[in-house]
Amino acid sequence: MRNDYRSTLVEQLRKYAPALPPGKADSLRTRVIVGELSLASVDLVSALVE
């Protein structure tokens, strides 16, 4: 289950990263890499609605 969630989050990050400020996209990628998936998903949604 966790791998599916991570895969989906990575796909969404790839899709929306070009629309985000570079520093925010890097921060999100780092959170995904270290396994902070719930924090990364919340940050991604927050960044998209700003």
Side-chain angles (χ1 to χ4, degrees):
M1 177 71 171
R2 184 176 174 150
N3 286 335
D4 291 339
Y5 183 73
R6 182 184 183 121
S7 297
T8 301
L9 186 56
V10 168
E11 288 173 20
Q12 294 302 310
L13 185 55
R14 285 183 182 148
K15 181 177 179 180
Y16 293 110
L20 300 174
K24 188 61 160 180
D26 290 341
S27 172
L28 289 166
R29 287 186 190 104
T30 300
R31 286 186 184 235
V32 170
I33 289 169
V34 298
E36 296 176 341
L37 302 180
S38 59
L39 292 173
S41 62
V42 168
D43 284 352
L44 176 59
V45 171
S46 296
L48 292 174
V49 297
E50 286 183 343

